[in-house]
Amino acid sequence: MKAKGLPIEGYPHFTLAGQEDELIFARTLANLRAAGFEVHADRLVPPAGTDSPRLIAAISSAFQQAKMGRRA
């Protein structure tokens, strides 16, 4: 999957992309949903009050769990 990326609402400089691994991307999105994010076809919406450090931590955690084969 050569994804152009999923923009993150409120953070125009951040884009979530799956690169070549659709399974890890799907698991990452599922983990983000479980963490309170909304996933739309055209954007990722973080929970209200999310600041940059929390955004980065949530995405990092969701990605790491996805790589380990876990889905929330």
Side-chain angles (χ1 to χ4, degrees):
M1 163 178 162
K2 289 250 181 190
K4 63 180 177 179
L6 191 59
I8 302 171
E9 189 171 284
Y11 297 89
H13 52 288
F14 288 141
T15 301
L16 186 67
Q19 304 303 330
E20 298 286 330
D21 196 322
E22 292 182 39
L23 181 58
I24 288 179
F25 188 64
R27 286 179 179 163
T28 300
L29 291 178
N31 290 333
L32 287 169
R33 276 188 195 100
F37 285 70
E38 292 180 28
V39 180
H40 300 273
D42 62 340
R43 70 193 184 286
L44 181 66
V45 181
T50 301
D51 58 12
S52 293
R54 287 186 182 141
L55 176 73
I56 293 168
I59 291 172
S60 296
S61 176
F63 177 71
Q64 288 301 319
Q65 290 176 9
K67 281 186 68 172
M68 293 177 0
R70 294 189 206 150
R71 197 169 88 189

